[in-house]
Structures are given as C-alpha cells and as structure tokens.
Amino acid sequence: MAGHFEATPGGGAAVALDEVEISILRSLAVQLLELIGPGDQPADGEDPLAALFAEGPSKPPTDPALARLFPDAYGGPGGPEGSEGAVGAGKPEEEQELRERSAEFRRFTEMDLRTGKRDDALAVVRTLDALSPAPDGGAVLTLTGEECLSWLRSLNDLRLTIGTRLEVSDEDQGEEGSLYRLPDSDPRKPMVMAYLWLGALQESLVETLMP
C-alpha cells in the first residue's frame, strides 16, 4: 500500500488512497478511539466549568499501550527509561518524590491529553467519511493544514499503540530488522505490514509539510 502525500495550496496535503487503505485507516482510528475511551461530558445539571477543572487519574494506565500513549512525566511505567531523573535511577527518597511529581502531573494533564488524542482520531475518521469515492472505490484525501497536524499526531498514536502490542524495539525496525523478515505464516504479519505502512505514510506527510 503505497500512499504518498503531495502539498496543496494553503499548507495542506493530499494523497490518493484505494478502498482497502481507506477501510484500514478508518478501522484503526476507530479502534484507537475505543482504546482511549469516551469523552468526559458534563452530566445533566453539572457545572461545565467544574467538569473542565475536574482532576484526572494519578496512576498510569495498566494497559501497556495506554501507558505508552500517556507515559509518566518523570520516568516510571511508560516513561523514558534511563532518562535523567527517571524512577529507578536514584535513591529511594528521590524515587518517591519523582513518583509523587508524576502522579500530580498526570492528575492535572491526562484528561486534556486524552481529549486531544480523541479529537485527532475523530478528525481522521471524519475526513475519511467525507471522501467522495471514485468508480474504483478509491479517493483522493485532501487535508487542510490543521487536519494535517491532527493526522500526524494520530498516525503517531497508532504506531505507538501497534508497536507496543507487537513489542517492537528499535532493532526491529531497520531494513535488516526482524519486522522485514517475518514469514507470511506469522500471525503478526498483517499488523506488522500495517505498522510499517503507517510509518511510511507519516514520513510522507512530514516531508510534505516541511518548508
């Protein structure tokens, strides 16, 4: 599946997609929405401002993919291992302080982060649903500059999620890596192909948007 973005006037981008590619992208975006979860809308009679400033969770998600999408700010589960100040890299009292700081940061940021990721995935679904299919079932996807940014973020979230499910490492991804040498009989092959294709699509969009 070889989609290549081209720049359009006004800072947008366009790419020709066939029927299968459109179906795969939409399905993956919908699955990402289901993983992130529904939005926290104010209940009937609830003050919208109070809902806006409601606190989120203080502990990282137990699902490895969600933990990758919403990592600890100061190391720990889903965070940057081996980074300076990461949990597990210092004295017990320092590690405890970092855990508390991560919990505090998560409490006031995760809900907004989830909203942003939901909005980006919804933008992918809506732009795909708005396509006018050609006789062969394919279509040209044309994105505004703002939609391009939503697509970039959502493509990244999809690759992080799939990569976590596949337990992909940096060594797996080069041209000589194990991802390129999986036999067709491997049950992971379809998801690996989707992972590599999403990476190529993301890279193409990045290159198109570069000045």
Side-chain angles (χ1 to χ4, degrees), residues 60 67-83 86-87 102 106:
R68 189 69 181 88
L69 291 176
F70 305 102
D72 269 344
Y74 302 99
E81 295 182 7
S83 61
V87 174
S102 290
R106 181 180 296 279

